[in-house]
Each structure stands twice: as structure tokens, then as C-alpha cells.
């Protein structure tokens, strides 16, 4: 009797393969193969050189923008440019890292050999995803010297830097999940890679196009009247440092007339799903350092990522923000600046991306379940 | 051992306590189609434990599809399958634990070494690290791959990859072995070894199902042959019973003249064979007819030197099927298939076309 129970439990535990063991095994197998192919190293070397050129280019352009004598902490600017390009090239590299994993095994006849083991489809797909993510993170690590250079150049808040790097890593993970899922869904390796690139393009360009095309549909009207400006434009005076920006309306007057404007509150979510927006928006906006250290009224140029984040958050504002004297109210500049901080859009964007990736992942898992009822057209199981 | 624990795996669904006889493979009217192609249209098969069952059929007859169904990779459209007492649809994990599958394609991770492939696969079967290491070393030794064990698998020749594939299939000591063309690419020495190894495993109680075109090879080891054609089981031949089948027999006599005369006297059609034309071949319907003929010839004073089946028993059965095919079908198939069938009729030519190997 005791023998039976013992056997029973032994059989039951042997019937399933633990997630830890299965994932470790898949990841080890995948990484071993990747580390033994030369192409990964070649890509890594090319990547290192290209990011180096970008870093050099952004340092040089900052110096030109800031002027030779006002060289002041280009760290943030250089850093944002480097991170932006790391993300951009990562979007190009991650599909190549991930979109051939399952379809390549299928073509090589090795997928079926694993499918007849105790490893489950979910374990197999998850392990392959993690392995491709790790391989893609190698590229982020290769870019670290330049990121550290940007830190050394100064002007950086370390938490911001950590969040930036983490978010780029998360985006790599999302793209690798898309690629792994597509490679399981699609039978041909080439088609899987192309389909993944198209998905990446959908997120990075399609979101822009979608937002631009739907913007006219959000046209609305806001009642507004006329702003009254001072009679004369104050002359720009070097000593008092007046400039045009200080020429502001005094009050609002006249009859209320409907003014056309866009209400982007219903469409900005499309932009939120853009990988660049997710990364840029997750980072807390830095205190703007003065352009001229002696004059707190001047600002250094925003980095590219900060500009993206500010821009998207502005789109959350009600349409009144776009219209001067909306509802007869004079815009409070200070209030407007505060509003334009807006609410973070990255949780929404990342949520959309994760939802799409998870749906594709579930579909991909379904495609490698064995015994299979349906096969992709024109394929053999083994 | 997992043989006796089949009724214990109640985690998934109740397992039919099939029988106390050692369970092998049973296939009952299995059909499977891929879109418009009906790969399997009703296959029945029983492969008992402790025996080697040959799966024989022409190209495209559904052998590999059946193997995939048995390996729990394909779901049959209809019909039922049990392997080691388990249904692959209900208890896939139990089937996989008890099944070793060697595909007809070489699924080899080119950049991994032979040892790494075995260790990784063993881990996928839930074997612990130490056990899988020693088991891998043992199997590499057994397949004479030890010297190449730490080379990337791409440097292995086709035959060596084939041997690695066999080692992988039996890594977890499965009860049932599904071997799809295991001998292709093997040199004669390795084929003989494979044959002996399979016989040994069958003697140890394993269920072995082998598909191959090389009939002479199957003839030497199989206990049972299942013929499938166009996805249907057309014939089951028990090869363990000596001399049940007829076919062409080759007769050599010391004096060919007296042999010819005796055959002509009994109006038996014969054909001269052999380089020196000292042998003849005759067609007999059954083994007893052959025995009678031999007794008659010897009784008539013909000094018979040898009296042997001219074709292997499997070959004879296969050729008989091939011969019957045009008669059963309304018209003979055009194209390469008809050409192949025609070629198989020619005497001395093997139906697999591999006589030269």
C-alpha cells in the first residue's frame, strides 16, 4: 500500500516539469546557441560603434547649440540622445533576436523533439522569450559605457538615469515578447521577422500616423472672446531684459464666439503606446538647469526624451488650453505650466503594449500545443 | 519502472485499466487529414510489448503521419490510440514519459555538442542533473560517439547524427520506441548494430515500432509487419511464424538439365536466374506448396543443392500488395507512382530501389 502511494506521488511529480527547471533549461540552451553564433558578436560590435558615433555627435551638437564659452553640463542632453538611439536601434535589433526562435526550430526540426518532452508549450515559449530578452539586453549593456560617459559629463539625476535604462530594458522585453509570439504563430522564419518589424513599426510609427489621422475627428468648439493686448509692444531692452514673451494679453473682452480647436483627450492614448513615449514619460522631469549658470531665468535646451514626454502630456489638456480667452478667461501662465505637467501616460502606454504582447503570446502558445489539431499551412511537424 | 504505474496517474483523468498484459501500442481506425489531403484514412495497428513491429508502406502512405500521432504531436481526427496504456490526448505527459521518438528528419541543434543535446533533453524529461550526465555519457559510449561528444553537432556525419538521435530517443528509458527510418544514413556495420540493439531492447520488454523502406533489414528483425497504403492498414503479417507465405523460390541443382526437365514435366513455370544460369526461380502460393515441390523434385532424383526464398518474406508481401493495387483500383495511377510500381515487378529489383547500398 505504502509502495503504491509512493509510486503514485512519484509518477505525479514526474508527470510535470517544474517551471524553474524548464525555464532554466530552455534559457541555457538558447543562450548557448546564440553565444556560439558569430552574427551576435558582429551585431554587437556594429552597435557599439554606432552608439559611439551618436554620442560623439550629440556632444558636438550640444556644444554648437550652447556655444563654446557656455559649455555647461551636456550630460542630460547627450544622455537623452544616447538613450533615444539605444531604444531606436533596440527596436531594430530586438525583432531579429526574437522572431526566429520558434520558427527557426520548426524549420530545423528541433521544435518537435522538445515538444515530445515534458516541457509544456508555455514553458517553452516563456523560456525562449526570456532568452531573447537577455540577448537583447546585451545590447543595452554594450551601450552602458556611453551612458556612463553622459553621467560623467554631469548634470544628471541618478534616479532618472536608472528609470531610463530600466524602461528601455522593459521595452526590449515587450518587443522580444512580440517577436517570440509571432515566431510561434507564423510558420516561416522570414515572415515572422517581417511581421515583428511591422508590429514594431505599428507601435513606433503607426501610433503617430493614427494620432495624426484621427486628430481632425476630434475637432470641437470652445466659446471664446478676444484678448486685449497692451497698446504697444514693449521694445526689447537689453538692460531690463524685456523680450517678446513678456508681451502678454491684459484681459479678455468682446462677445463670445465659438472657436474651433482639437480635443486630443480622446486620442492621445495612441501616442502613449509609442515605445519612445513610454520610456520618455516614465522618467521624472528634471529640474531644468539654467542655460547660463549666473542667470536662473535661462534654460538649457530640453533633451529629446523630455520634450516628447512634455508634448504628449500637453495633449491631455482640455481644448480650452489651446484657445486664448476660452470662456472669457485669461489663461494663467503659471497654472498652465503646472497643468502641462499632466498625468503620466506611460502606465497606459505600457499597458496597451503588454496587452497586445500577452494576446499574441497566448495565440503563439496555442500554436505549439501538441498534439496539434491544426497545422500552419504547408508545414510538417517534423 | 513506470510500467505498473499507469493506473496511478489520476491527476489528469481516470485511466482505463486496459489489461494486465504488457501494454504496447494500439491504434484503432485512426484518421487524419491535412486540409484536402487525407493522410490517414483508417489505420489499425497493434504493436505488442516485447516485439519489433515493422510499419511498411510506400512513400506518402502515411507512415510518418501515424508516427506523429503516436508521438503525441498530432491529434487524430477520429479513432483512438493508446501507448503504454495511455491515450495521448488525455494523458500526454504520461505518453511522453513512456515514449521515445526518433523522427525521420534530423532534428539536431547544430551549435550544441552531442553531450549538451543529450543532457538538455534529459532535463526536459525531468531527469536530475547527475543522473542525466551519467546516462548521456553511457549512451554516447554505447553509440560510439564519445570522441565526438564535445564537438558541435554540425560536424557529425549523417549517420552519426542518426545515432545521436537514437540515443536521444531512448535517453529517458522509454517503454515504447517509435523509430521513423532509423537506419537511413547508417553504414552496414551500424545497421547491424542497430538491428541487434533493437532486438535486445525488444527482448527486454520494450515495444518497438519501426518504419522503413529497407525491407530486407526489417525482415531480419521484425516480428510483425503492418502494411499501410494510402493511409489504410492493408495487411498484417506475422513474421515470427516460419514460412507462412509463398513467393518466388530460388532452386539450384547440381545438374540444371535434370531440374529443368523435372519442372517441365510438372508444367511448372520457371525462369533461369543467376550469372551462370544454373539456378531457376519458381513462383509458389504458400510455404507448404514450396515444401511439396521440394519433396517432389528430390523424389524425382533431382540433386537439389539449395532451395531458398528468392525474396524476403516482407518483400514478397510488399510486392504482392503492389501487384494487387492496380487490380483493386479502377485505373492504375499515372505518373511516378505507376512507374515505381512497375519497377517493383521487375525481378531482382528491390522495391525500395536501394539494392546498391
Amino acid at each position: 500500500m505504502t509502495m503504491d502511494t509512493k509510486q503514485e506521488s512519484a509518477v505525479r511529480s514526474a508527470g510535470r516539469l517544474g517551471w524553474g527547471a524548464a525555464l532554466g533549461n530552455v534559457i541555457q540552451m538558447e543562450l548557448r546557441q546564440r553565444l556560439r553564433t558569430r552574427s551576435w558578436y558582429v551585431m554587437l560590435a556594429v552597435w557599439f560603434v554606432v552608439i559611439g558615433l551618436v554620442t560623439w555627435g550629440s556632444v558636438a551638437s550640444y556644444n554648437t547649440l550652447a556655444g563654446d564659452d557656455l559649455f555647461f553640463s551636456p550630460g542630460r542632453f547627450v544622455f537623452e540622445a544616447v538613450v533615444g538611439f539605444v531604444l531606436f536601434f533596440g527596436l531594430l535589433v530586438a525583432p531579429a533576436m526574437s522572431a526566429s526562435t520558434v520558427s527557426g526550430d520548426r524549420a530545423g526540426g528541433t521544435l518537435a523533439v522538445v515538444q515530445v518532452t515534458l516541457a509544456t508549450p508555455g514553458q517553452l515559449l516563456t523560456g525562449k522569450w526570456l532568452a531573447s530578452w537577455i540577448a537583447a539586453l546585451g545590447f543595452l549593456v554594450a551601450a552602458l559605457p556611453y551612458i556612463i560617459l553622459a553621467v560623467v559629463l554631469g548634470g544628471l539625476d541618478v534616479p532618472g538615469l536608472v528609470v531610463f535604462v530600466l524602461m528601455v530594458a522593459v521595452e526590449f522585453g515587450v518587443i522580444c515578447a512580440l517577436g517570440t509570439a509571432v515566431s510561434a504563430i507564423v510558420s516561416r522564419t522570414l515572415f515572422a521577422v517581417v511581421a515583428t518589424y511591422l508590429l514594431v513599426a505599428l507601435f513606433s510609427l503607426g501610433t503617430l500616423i493614427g494620432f495624426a489621422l484621427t486628430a481632425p475627428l476630434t475637432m470641437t468648439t470652445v466659446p471664446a472672446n478676444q484678448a486685449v493686448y497692451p497698446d504697444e509692444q514693449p521694445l526689447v531692452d537689453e538692460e531690463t531684459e524685456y523680450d517678446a514673451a513678456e508681451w502678454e494679453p491684459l484681459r479678455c473682452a468682446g462677445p463670445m464666439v465659438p472657436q474651433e480647436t482639437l480635443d486630443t483627450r480622446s486620442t492621445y492614448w495612441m501616442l502613449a503606446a509609442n515605445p519612445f513615449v513610454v520610456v520618455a514619460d516614465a522618467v521624472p522631469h528634471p529640474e531644468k538647469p539654467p542655460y547660463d549658470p549666473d542667470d536662473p531665468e535661462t534654460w538649457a535646451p530640453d533633451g529629446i526624451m523630455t520634450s516628447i514626454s512634455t508634448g504628449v502630456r500637453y495633449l491631455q489638456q482640455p481644448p480650452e488650453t489651446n484657445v486664448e480667452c476660452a470662456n472669457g478667461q485669461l489663461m494663467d501662465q503659471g497654472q498652465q505650466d503646472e497643468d502641462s505637467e499632466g498625468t503620466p501616460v506611460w502606465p497606459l502606454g505600457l499597458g496597451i503594449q503588454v496587452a497586445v504582447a500577452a494576446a499574441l503570446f497566448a495565440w503563439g502558445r496555442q500554436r505549439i500545443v501538441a498534439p496539434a489539431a491544426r497545422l500552419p499551412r504547408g508545414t510538417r511537424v517534423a | 519502472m513506470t510500467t505498473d504505474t499507469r493506473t496511478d496517474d489520476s491527476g489528469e483523468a481516470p485511466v482505463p485499466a486496459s489489461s494486465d498484459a504488457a501494454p504496447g501500442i494500439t491504434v484503432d481506425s485512426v484518421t487524419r487529414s491535412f486540409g484536402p489531403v487525407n493522410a490517414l484514412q483508417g489505420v489499425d495497428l497493434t504493436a505488442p510489448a516485447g516485439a519489433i513491429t515493422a510499419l511498411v508502406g510506400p512513400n506518402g502512405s502515411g507512415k510518418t503521419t501515424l508516427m506523429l500521432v503516436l508521438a503525441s504531436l498530432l491529434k487524430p481526427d477520429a479513432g483512438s490510440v493508446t501507448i503504454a496504456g495511455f491515450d495521448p490526448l488525455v494523458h500526454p505527459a504520461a505518453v511522453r514519459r513512456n515514449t521515445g521518438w526518433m523522427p525521420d528528419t534530423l532534428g539536431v541543434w547544430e551549435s550544441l555538442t552531442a553531450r549538451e543535446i543529450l543532457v538538455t533533453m534529459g532535463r526536459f524529461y525531468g531527469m536530475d542533473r547527475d543522473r542525466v550526465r551519467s546516462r548521456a555519457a553511457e549512451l554516447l559510449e554505447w553509440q560510439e560517439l564519445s570522441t565526438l561528444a564535445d564537438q558541435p553537432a554540425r560536424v557529425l556525419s549523417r549517420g552519426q547524427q542518426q545515432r545521436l538521435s537514437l540515443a536521444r530517443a531512448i535517453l529517458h528509458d522509454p517503454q515504447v520506441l517509435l523509430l521513423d527510418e532509423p537506419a537511413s544514413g547508417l553504414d552496414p556495420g551500424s545497421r547491424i548494430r542497430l538491428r541487434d540493439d533493437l532486438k535486445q531492447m525488444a527482448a527486454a520488454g520494450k515495444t518497438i515500432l519501426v518504419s522503413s523502406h529497407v525491407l530486407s533489414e526489417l525482415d531480419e528483425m521484425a516480428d510483425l509487419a503492418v502494411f499501410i497504403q494510402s493511409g489504410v492498414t492493408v495487411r498484417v503479417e506475422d513474421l515470427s511464424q516460419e514460412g507462412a507465405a509463398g513467393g518466388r523460390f530460388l532452386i539450384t541443382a547440381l545438374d540444371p538439365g535434370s531440374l529443368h526437365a523435372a519442372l517441365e514435366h510438372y508444367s511448372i513455370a520457371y525462369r533461369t536466374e543467376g550469372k551462370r544460369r544454373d539456378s531457376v526461380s519458381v513462383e509458389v502460393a504458400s510455404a507448404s506448396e514450396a515444401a511439396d515441390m521440394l519433396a517432389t523434385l528430390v523424389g524425382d532424383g533431382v540433386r537439389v543443392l539449395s532451395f531458398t526464398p528468392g525474396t524476403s518474406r516482407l518483400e514478397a508481401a510488399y510486392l504482392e500488395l503492389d501487384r494487387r493495387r492496380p487490380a483493386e483500383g479502377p485505373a492504375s495511377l499515372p505518373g511516378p507512382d505507376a512507374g515505381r510500381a512497375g519497377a517493383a515487378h521487375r525481378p531482382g529489383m528491390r522495391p525500395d530501389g536501394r539494392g546498391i547500398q
Side-chain angles (χ1 to χ4, degrees), chain A residues 232-253:
Chain A
E232 280 182 33
Q233 181 179 350
L235 292 170
V236 175
D237 187 337
E238 285 294 323
E239 282 175 30
T240 55
E241 292 192 354
Y242 259 27
D243 64 41
E246 306 214 1
W247 187 55
E248 285 171 355
L250 298 171
R251 61 195 166 85
C252 295

Side-chain angles (χ1 to χ4, degrees), chain A residues 7-8 11-12 15 17 25-26 29 32-33 36 109-110 113-118 370-373 375 380 382, chain B residues 5 8 10 32 34 64 71-75 93 96-97 101 104-105 107 109 111 116 120 123-126 168:
Chain A
Q7 272 185 341
E8 202 172 311
V11 165
R12 208 165 277 158
L17 193 58
N25 209 20
V26 177
M29 180 169 78
R32 258 192 191 142
Q33 292 181 77
R36 285 176 197 171
T110 50
V113 172
V114 180
Q115 281 177 306
V116 299
T117 68
L118 301 179
L375 288 185
R380 278 177 69 120
Chain B
T5 53
D8 296 337
S10 49
R32 170 75 210 205
F34 301 99
T64 294
S72 77
L73 285 167
L74 275 181
K75 205 179 267 185
R96 285 166 192 168
R97 206 168 49 233
W101 173 61
D104 62 339
T105 50
W109 292 264
S111 55
E116 284 167 349
T120 305
R123 302 278 292 145
F124 277 134
Y125 280 109
R168 186 194 49 65

Side-chain angles (χ1 to χ4, degrees), chain A residues 353-374:
Chain A
Q353 293 177 351
V354 168
V356 171
L360 286 174
F361 213 77
W363 185 8
R365 196 201 78 91
Q366 202 54 42
R367 288 302 280 261
I368 58 169
V369 166
R374 268 163 34 87

